[in-house]
């Protein structure tokens, strides 16, 4: 029996594997990757590696075994048919008779286009009859803290989210929730709405950046159209412009506020505060 993590060398996947290594023997972990070289460090620590690609169904043949617990980390190729990609993994897991398939989804309240693939994947997973756990991850601190250069340069946080609030948490927090499900008992056929303990708005984010940098940083709310133009001007492809602008519209409507408490309950600790994520990014 193995705990299998797809997308294991991605941002979230690495956190999951690192935290699994603290809880189970390395040989019980299988890291599924597209590029074996990127997982060389994990293999050196005793983690089993398997090369497979969501776009090549045959690469998943025989990858899973009966009794495995699988974490399907949603793909990030938004323009390549993510539901079809995810279905490849679900079909292979069903054929093998895995004990649990956990999927990193999006909050149930999110109506932005970003959520469409997640809702469709959830439908495929539930129809498969596999024991499942839906990890409906909220927004990540890193979606903002990893892109501080333009904010600090211009002294402004620019979004089209109005006074909307977000219950974000760190990648490490969401990884810890996934690890709790993969290593714990009684998580079959569950849905977890995951988000940070305290919701915040962009004016507060700008104030926190000001406090920690000593520079005056303001929140500059703009229209959806203006925001889309800014993103396009920064070189983002059209499909990503649409996704990010859509997320801001959802934030303004309060769709990324998660008040379930599921994240800190699963991890057994408070979620990482935004101020801590900002401090880490500024140090980095």
């Amino acid at each position: 029996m193995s705990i299998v993590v797809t997308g294991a060398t991605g941002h979230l996947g690495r956190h999951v594997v690192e935290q699994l290594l603290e809880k189970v023997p390395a040989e019980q972990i299988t890291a599924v990757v597209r590029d074996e070289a990127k997982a060389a460090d994990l293999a050196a620590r005793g983690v089993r590696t398997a090369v497979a690609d969501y776009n090549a169904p045959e690469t998943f043949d025989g990858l899973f075994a009966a009794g495995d617990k699988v974490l399907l980390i949603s793909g990030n190729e938004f323009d390549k048919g993510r539901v079809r990609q995810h279905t490849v993994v679900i079909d292979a897991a069903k054929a093998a008779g895995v004990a649990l398939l956990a999927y990193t989804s999006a909050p149930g309240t999110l109506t932005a286009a970003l959520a469409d693939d997640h809702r469709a994947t959830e439908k495929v997973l539930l129809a498969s009859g596999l024991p499942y756990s839906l990890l409906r991850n909220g927004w990540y601190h890193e979606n903002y803290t990893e892109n501080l250069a333009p904010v600090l340069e211009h002294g402004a946080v620019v979004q089209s989210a109005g006074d909307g609030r977000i219950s974000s948490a760190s990648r490490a927090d969401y990884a810890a929730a996934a690890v709790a499900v993969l290593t714990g008992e009684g998580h079959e056929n569950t849905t977890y709405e995951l988000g940070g303990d305290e919701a915040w708005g962009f004016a507060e984010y700008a104030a926190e950046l000001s406090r920690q940098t000593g520079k005056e940083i303001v929140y500059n709310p703009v229209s959806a159209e203006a925001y889309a133009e800014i993103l396009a001007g920064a070189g983002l492809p059209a499909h990503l412009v649409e996704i990010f602008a859509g997320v801001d519209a959802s934030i303004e409507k309060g769709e990324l506020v998660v008040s379930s408490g599921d994240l800190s309950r699963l991890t057994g600790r408070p979620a990482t505060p935004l101020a801590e994520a900002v401090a880490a990014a500024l140090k980095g």
Side-chain angles (χ1 to χ4, degrees), residues 229-247:
E229 279 179 28
I230 290 165
L231 294 173
L236 256 67
H239 67 277
L240 286 183
V241 169
E242 188 183 339
I243 284 170
F244 289 131
V247 166

PDB file of all heavy atoms in Angstrom, residues 229-247:
ATOM      1  N   GLU A 229      -7.237  44.795 -18.529  1.00  0.00           N
ATOM      2  CA  GLU A 229      -6.251  45.473 -19.389  1.00  0.00           C
ATOM      3  C   GLU A 229      -4.859  45.447 -18.757  1.00  0.00           C
ATOM      4  O   GLU A 229      -3.852  45.244 -19.435  1.00  0.00           O
ATOM      5  CB  GLU A 229      -6.678  46.929 -19.636  1.00  0.00           C
ATOM      6  CG  GLU A 229      -7.715  47.074 -20.717  1.00  0.00           C
ATOM      7  CD  GLU A 229      -8.141  48.531 -20.910  1.00  0.00           C
ATOM      8  OE1 GLU A 229      -7.322  49.436 -20.632  1.00  0.00           O
ATOM      9  OE2 GLU A 229      -9.293  48.742 -21.315  1.00  0.00           O
ATOM     10  N   ILE A 230      -4.809  45.641 -17.437  1.00  0.00           N
ATOM     11  CA  ILE A 230      -3.518  45.615 -16.727  1.00  0.00           C
ATOM     12  C   ILE A 230      -2.883  44.229 -16.845  1.00  0.00           C
ATOM     13  O   ILE A 230      -1.689  44.088 -17.123  1.00  0.00           O
ATOM     14  CB  ILE A 230      -3.711  46.001 -15.241  1.00  0.00           C
ATOM     15  CG1 ILE A 230      -4.064  47.484 -15.112  1.00  0.00           C
ATOM     16  CG2 ILE A 230      -2.461  45.693 -14.420  1.00  0.00           C
ATOM     17  CD1 ILE A 230      -4.612  47.879 -13.745  1.00  0.00           C
ATOM     18  N   LEU A 231      -3.693  43.183 -16.630  1.00  0.00           N
ATOM     19  CA  LEU A 231      -3.179  41.813 -16.702  1.00  0.00           C
ATOM     20  C   LEU A 231      -2.688  41.486 -18.112  1.00  0.00           C
ATOM     21  O   LEU A 231      -1.627  40.882 -18.291  1.00  0.00           O
ATOM     22  CB  LEU A 231      -4.268  40.817 -16.283  1.00  0.00           C
ATOM     23  CG  LEU A 231      -4.718  40.880 -14.814  1.00  0.00           C
ATOM     24  CD1 LEU A 231      -5.910  39.952 -14.594  1.00  0.00           C
ATOM     25  CD2 LEU A 231      -3.587  40.512 -13.867  1.00  0.00           C
ATOM     26  N   ALA A 232      -3.480  41.899 -19.111  1.00  0.00           N
ATOM     27  CA  ALA A 232      -3.088  41.649 -20.504  1.00  0.00           C
ATOM     28  C   ALA A 232      -1.801  42.406 -20.829  1.00  0.00           C
ATOM     29  O   ALA A 232      -0.900  41.877 -21.488  1.00  0.00           O
ATOM     30  CB  ALA A 232      -4.212  42.055 -21.452  1.00  0.00           C
ATOM     31  N   GLY A 233      -1.710  43.626 -20.306  1.00  0.00           N
ATOM     32  CA  GLY A 233      -0.508  44.443 -20.526  1.00  0.00           C
ATOM     33  C   GLY A 233       0.727  43.842 -19.886  1.00  0.00           C
ATOM     34  O   GLY A 233       1.862  44.071 -20.337  1.00  0.00           O
ATOM     35  N   ALA A 234       0.501  43.041 -18.829  1.00  0.00           N
ATOM     36  CA  ALA A 234       1.628  42.389 -18.144  1.00  0.00           C
ATOM     37  C   ALA A 234       2.041  41.100 -18.861  1.00  0.00           C
ATOM     38  O   ALA A 234       2.955  40.406 -18.429  1.00  0.00           O
ATOM     39  CB  ALA A 234       1.249  42.072 -16.701  1.00  0.00           C
ATOM     40  N   GLY A 235       1.330  40.792 -19.967  1.00  0.00           N
ATOM     41  CA  GLY A 235       1.730  39.644 -20.774  1.00  0.00           C
ATOM     42  C   GLY A 235       0.983  38.356 -20.481  1.00  0.00           C
ATOM     43  O   GLY A 235       1.348  37.296 -20.990  1.00  0.00           O
ATOM     44  N   LEU A 236      -0.073  38.421 -19.662  1.00  0.00           N
ATOM     45  CA  LEU A 236      -0.821  37.196 -19.368  1.00  0.00           C
ATOM     46  C   LEU A 236      -1.659  36.782 -20.583  1.00  0.00           C
ATOM     47  O   LEU A 236      -2.270  37.635 -21.232  1.00  0.00           O
ATOM     48  CB  LEU A 236      -1.756  37.410 -18.167  1.00  0.00           C
ATOM     49  CG  LEU A 236      -1.296  36.801 -16.842  1.00  0.00           C
ATOM     50  CD1 LEU A 236      -0.043  37.511 -16.343  1.00  0.00           C
ATOM     51  CD2 LEU A 236      -2.387  36.897 -15.804  1.00  0.00           C
ATOM     52  N   PRO A 237      -1.712  35.466 -20.879  1.00  0.00           N
ATOM     53  CA  PRO A 237      -2.563  35.015 -21.986  1.00  0.00           C
ATOM     54  C   PRO A 237      -4.038  35.255 -21.661  1.00  0.00           C
ATOM     55  O   PRO A 237      -4.429  35.329 -20.498  1.00  0.00           O
ATOM     56  CB  PRO A 237      -2.253  33.523 -22.108  1.00  0.00           C
ATOM     57  CG  PRO A 237      -1.585  33.137 -20.832  1.00  0.00           C
ATOM     58  CD  PRO A 237      -0.957  34.366 -20.260  1.00  0.00           C
ATOM     59  N   ALA A 238      -4.834  35.354 -22.714  1.00  0.00           N
ATOM     60  CA  ALA A 238      -6.246  35.736 -22.569  1.00  0.00           C
ATOM     61  C   ALA A 238      -7.005  34.840 -21.606  1.00  0.00           C
ATOM     62  O   ALA A 238      -7.824  35.321 -20.811  1.00  0.00           O
ATOM     63  CB  ALA A 238      -6.922  35.736 -23.940  1.00  0.00           C
ATOM     64  N   HIS A 239      -6.754  33.513 -21.633  1.00  0.00           N
ATOM     65  CA  HIS A 239      -7.535  32.621 -20.764  1.00  0.00           C
ATOM     66  C   HIS A 239      -7.209  32.866 -19.295  1.00  0.00           C
ATOM     67  O   HIS A 239      -8.079  32.739 -18.434  1.00  0.00           O
ATOM     68  CB  HIS A 239      -7.332  31.149 -21.149  1.00  0.00           C
ATOM     69  CG  HIS A 239      -5.971  30.601 -20.908  1.00  0.00           C
ATOM     70  ND1 HIS A 239      -4.930  30.775 -21.784  1.00  0.00           N
ATOM     71  CD2 HIS A 239      -5.464  29.860 -19.882  1.00  0.00           C
ATOM     72  CE1 HIS A 239      -3.847  30.175 -21.321  1.00  0.00           C
ATOM     73  NE2 HIS A 239      -4.141  29.613 -20.162  1.00  0.00           N
ATOM     74  N   LEU A 240      -5.978  33.260 -19.003  1.00  0.00           N
ATOM     75  CA  LEU A 240      -5.627  33.556 -17.603  1.00  0.00           C
ATOM     76  C   LEU A 240      -6.162  34.918 -17.170  1.00  0.00           C
ATOM     77  O   LEU A 240      -6.569  35.095 -16.019  1.00  0.00           O
ATOM     78  CB  LEU A 240      -4.107  33.501 -17.408  1.00  0.00           C
ATOM     79  CG  LEU A 240      -3.474  32.108 -17.406  1.00  0.00           C
ATOM     80  CD1 LEU A 240      -1.976  32.195 -17.132  1.00  0.00           C
ATOM     81  CD2 LEU A 240      -4.131  31.191 -16.374  1.00  0.00           C
ATOM     82  N   VAL A 241      -6.173  35.874 -18.087  1.00  0.00           N
ATOM     83  CA  VAL A 241      -6.774  37.188 -17.787  1.00  0.00           C
ATOM     84  C   VAL A 241      -8.223  36.993 -17.365  1.00  0.00           C
ATOM     85  O   VAL A 241      -8.682  37.538 -16.356  1.00  0.00           O
ATOM     86  CB  VAL A 241      -6.686  38.129 -19.017  1.00  0.00           C
ATOM     87  CG1 VAL A 241      -7.540  39.382 -18.795  1.00  0.00           C
ATOM     88  CG2 VAL A 241      -5.238  38.526 -19.293  1.00  0.00           C
ATOM     89  N   GLU A 242      -8.931  36.163 -18.121  1.00  0.00           N
ATOM     90  CA  GLU A 242     -10.349  35.900 -17.826  1.00  0.00           C
ATOM     91  C   GLU A 242     -10.512  35.239 -16.455  1.00  0.00           C
ATOM     92  O   GLU A 242     -11.399  35.604 -15.677  1.00  0.00           O
ATOM     93  CB  GLU A 242     -10.926  34.993 -18.924  1.00  0.00           C
ATOM     94  CG  GLU A 242     -12.428  34.806 -18.829  1.00  0.00           C
ATOM     95  CD  GLU A 242     -12.959  33.834 -19.883  1.00  0.00           C
ATOM     96  OE1 GLU A 242     -12.274  33.626 -20.904  1.00  0.00           O
ATOM     97  OE2 GLU A 242     -14.051  33.278 -19.663  1.00  0.00           O
ATOM     98  N   ILE A 243      -9.638  34.282 -16.161  1.00  0.00           N
ATOM     99  CA  ILE A 243      -9.723  33.570 -14.882  1.00  0.00           C
ATOM    100  C   ILE A 243      -9.479  34.520 -13.715  1.00  0.00           C
ATOM    101  O   ILE A 243     -10.256  34.575 -12.762  1.00  0.00           O
ATOM    102  CB  ILE A 243      -8.724  32.394 -14.852  1.00  0.00           C
ATOM    103  CG1 ILE A 243      -9.267  31.234 -15.695  1.00  0.00           C
ATOM    104  CG2 ILE A 243      -8.454  31.916 -13.428  1.00  0.00           C
ATOM    105  CD1 ILE A 243      -8.272  30.127 -15.945  1.00  0.00           C
ATOM    106  N   PHE A 244      -8.392  35.307 -13.776  1.00  0.00           N
ATOM    107  CA  PHE A 244      -8.051  36.181 -12.649  1.00  0.00           C
ATOM    108  C   PHE A 244      -9.070  37.307 -12.462  1.00  0.00           C
ATOM    109  O   PHE A 244      -9.413  37.660 -11.332  1.00  0.00           O
ATOM    110  CB  PHE A 244      -6.638  36.750 -12.819  1.00  0.00           C
ATOM    111  CG  PHE A 244      -5.549  35.728 -12.616  1.00  0.00           C
ATOM    112  CD1 PHE A 244      -4.526  35.584 -13.532  1.00  0.00           C
ATOM    113  CD2 PHE A 244      -5.569  34.884 -11.517  1.00  0.00           C
ATOM    114  CE1 PHE A 244      -3.528  34.626 -13.351  1.00  0.00           C
ATOM    115  CE2 PHE A 244      -4.581  33.927 -11.320  1.00  0.00           C
ATOM    116  CZ  PHE A 244      -3.555  33.799 -12.243  1.00  0.00           C
ATOM    117  N   ALA A 245      -9.553  37.854 -13.567  1.00  0.00           N
ATOM    118  CA  ALA A 245     -10.576  38.903 -13.458  1.00  0.00           C
ATOM    119  C   ALA A 245     -11.858  38.309 -12.873  1.00  0.00           C
ATOM    120  O   ALA A 245     -12.532  38.940 -12.046  1.00  0.00           O
ATOM    121  CB  ALA A 245     -10.839  39.522 -14.826  1.00  0.00           C
ATOM    122  N   GLY A 246     -12.162  37.080 -13.269  1.00  0.00           N
ATOM    123  CA  GLY A 246     -13.355  36.400 -12.741  1.00  0.00           C
ATOM    124  C   GLY A 246     -13.244  36.126 -11.256  1.00  0.00           C
ATOM    125  O   GLY A 246     -14.228  36.239 -10.510  1.00  0.00           O
ATOM    126  N   VAL A 247     -12.043  35.767 -10.804  1.00  0.00           N
ATOM    127  CA  VAL A 247     -11.831  35.515  -9.369  1.00  0.00           C
ATOM    128  C   VAL A 247     -12.046  36.796  -8.576  1.00  0.00           C
ATOM    129  O   VAL A 247     -12.686  36.779  -7.521  1.00  0.00           O
ATOM    130  CB  VAL A 247     -10.427  34.923  -9.113  1.00  0.00           C
ATOM    131  CG1 VAL A 247     -10.080  34.985  -7.631  1.00  0.00           C
ATOM    132  CG2 VAL A 247     -10.365  33.481  -9.597  1.00  0.00           C
TER     133      VAL A 247
END
